[in-house]
Amino acid sequence: MKKFLNSFEDGVCAIILFVMLILTFVNVIARYILLASLPFIEELNCVGLMVLSIVGAATATKRGAHLGLSVITDLLPKAAQNVIALICDLLSAVFCAAIIYLGYQYVQNQFTNNVLSMGMSWPVWLYGIWLPIGAAVLFIRQVQLAIRTFITTIHSGKEETA
C-alpha cells in the first residue's frame, strides 16, 4: 500500500505538471496564430492546478517539506516540541477529514444539479471529485506523520527518564 501511495502521488503530480506544460505551450502558440486563447485549455489548467496543489501537499507531507513557524516552539524542550507537533499533525488530519466530507458534499451537489463547466460544458463534478480524493491522500499522510511524531515523542520521553 505504501509503495502504491508513493507512486500514486508522485505519478499524478508528474503527469499533471507535464500535461499542464504542454497545454500552456499549445495555448501560447494559439495566441500567436489565432490571436485568441483556447478557453478549454485554461479550464483544464485550472483543474490541474487544483489537483496538483492538494496532491502536492500530500507529497510535501510525506517528505516533511511543509514550512512551519517555529520561533516559539524552538524555545521549548524537545519533548514539548514533539507534543505540539503531534497536536498539529492531529489537527491537520481533522482538517483533511473536514475537506473530505465537505468536498464530497460539494461534488454531490454538483452532480445532483448537473452543473456544467463554462469552457467545455463537461460536468463540473468530474473536476471537483479530485478535492475529496486528494484530501483523502493528504489525510493518510497526516495520520502517518502523526504516528511517526507519536513514536518520536515516546522515544524522546524514554531517553529523558533514563
Side-chain angles (χ1 to χ4, degrees):
M1 178 70 172
K2 185 176 179 179
K3 278 188 174 185
F4 170 77
L5 194 56
N6 286 340
S7 299
F8 174 77
E9 291 168 349
D10 295 340
V12 166
C13 286
I15 289 168
I16 289 173
L17 198 54
F18 180 72
V19 169
M20 287 175 65
L21 174 76
I22 298 299
L23 289 174
T24 301
F25 178 75
V26 167
N27 206 20
V28 168
I29 298 301
R31 283 183 188 158
Y32 283 106
I33 294 172
L34 303 174
L35 301 176
S37 64
L38 304 170
F40 73 92
I41 289 180
E42 292 176 18
E43 186 174 309
L44 289 175
N45 276 341
C46 246
V47 173
L49 188 59
M50 189 264 304
V51 175
L52 193 59
S53 295
I54 195 151
V55 177
T59 301
T61 300
K62 166 182 70 175
R63 295 187 176 135
H66 277 290
L67 295 175
L69 183 62
S70 61
V71 173
I72 296 173
T73 56
D74 286 346
L75 301 173
L76 300 174
K78 188 67 176 164
Q81 290 178 13
N82 290 337
V83 169
I84 290 173
L86 179 61
I87 291 169
C88 290
D89 295 340
L90 293 172
L91 288 174
S92 295
V94 169
F95 180 73
C96 291
I99 293 173
I100 294 168
Y101 174 73
L102 294 171
Y104 173 77
Q105 285 186 328
Y106 180 67
V107 170
Q108 189 177 29
N109 186 31
Q110 291 172 333
F111 182 80
T112 303
N113 293 319
N114 196 29
V115 179
L116 301 177
S117 66
M118 292 177 58
M120 296 186 296
S121 295
W122 285 5
V124 176
W125 68 266
L126 290 173
Y127 307 145
I129 194 71
W130 283 96
L131 182 63
I133 290 171
V137 174
L138 184 55
F139 174 80
I140 291 167
R141 287 295 180 199
Q142 284 299 148
V143 169
Q144 288 174 337
L145 185 61
I147 291 169
R148 248 184 282 139
T149 304
F150 180 71
I151 291 169
T152 303
T153 303
I154 289 177
H155 286 298
S156 70
K158 288 181 182 177
E159 291 171 0
E160 287 180 7
T161 58

